[in-house]
Amino acid sequence: MPSDDRPETLHVTTDAQLRAVSNLTRHRIMAVLRFEPATITQIAGRVGLAKGSSSYHVRLLERAGLVKVVRTRKVRGVTERYYAMAAQTIVLPDPGAGQPDVLMRHAVADLESAPAESERHVQMAHLRLTPEQFAELGARLEALADEYRELSDPSLPDVSLVFALFRTTPRKPTEDGAK
């Protein structure tokens, strides 16, 4: 399905959509559909699910409007459906105060389940930045991600890029003066 046929962005706003994207299995199914349409059988194979489980999760995503059938074909008398993301980009709402960040939890789960021998680059840096530097770094990271998204080739193995740039909650000193 050419990316031109899909809207650029879909904002997750309904409870059904939030429930759908909050599930790690459905997150992984959406990752499979990120670049090209796939059948239930193909999705099941890529995610490591039984076809029945894969079908169940895809139906929930479809009802939530996050994926859709983009083509069908008859195979030995059975209609095979190809599913794709409903938009090029799915935008999650910011979590409320004290709420878990679903996207980051899924990213950590994906990182932890990646083969131990696979190449990875993981780094955490603590910085002290002016508001202007903070905004510039955020814009540069987003531009870099966009640049490499344009280079993505669906025939190559999946790679995930996750970054989070945020101001931490100021820590109060303890009674003994330690921070």
Side-chain angles (χ1 to χ4, degrees):
M1 168 179 181
S3 59
D4 307 340
D5 293 348
R6 297 179 294 167
E8 176 72 31
T9 306
L10 185 149
H11 290 269
V12 170
T13 56
T14 69
D15 287 343
Q17 290 172 329
L18 287 169
R19 278 191 303 279
V21 298
S22 293
N23 179 277
L24 181 59
T25 298
R26 291 189 285 273
H27 160 79
R28 289 178 174 160
I29 289 170
M30 290 170 58
V32 167
L33 301 175
R34 155 183 44 215
F35 292 115
E36 60 191 350
T39 65
I40 294 295
T41 302
Q42 292 167 334
I43 292 167
R46 293 272 309 275
V47 178
L49 289 174
K51 282 176 34 176
S53 293
S54 181
S55 178
Y56 167 78
H57 288 290
V58 169
R59 277 195 319 271
L60 287 175
L61 289 166
E62 185 178 23
R63 273 186 254 153
L66 299 170
V67 302
K68 63 182 183 177
V69 175
V70 293
R71 80 174 174 264
T72 60
R73 71 179 188 143
K74 288 278 191 190
V75 178
R76 292 184 292 277
V78 176
T79 301
E80 190 173 61
R81 292 177 182 86
Y82 284 81
Y83 294 88
M85 296 294 296
Q88 294 176 45
T89 304
I90 305 291
V91 179
L92 300 178
D94 289 332
Q99 297 296 312
D101 189 310
V102 172
L103 186 60
M104 280 293 136
R105 286 183 185 238
H106 290 334
V108 169
D110 285 344
L111 175 63
E112 290 172 341
S113 69
E117 68 279 359
S118 67
E119 183 179 8
R120 58 176 84 192
H121 302 273
V122 179
Q123 179 183 12
M124 181 171 186
H126 296 281
L127 311 170
R128 291 187 175 185
L129 303 173
T130 65
E132 294 79 18
Q133 291 169 324
F134 182 88
E136 177 189 354
L137 181 55
R140 287 175 63 187
L141 289 169
E142 289 175 10
L144 189 60
D146 289 342
E147 176 184 336
Y148 277 86
R149 190 177 293 116
E150 291 295 319
L151 297 173
S152 289
D153 179 345
S155 68
L156 297 174
D158 287 348
V159 173
S160 291
L161 170 66
V162 178
F163 64 87
L165 179 64
F166 56 95
R167 294 207 180 273
T168 59
T169 303
R171 307 286 184 229
K172 295 181 183 175
T174 60
E175 288 181 21
D176 65 1
K179 287 188 175 188

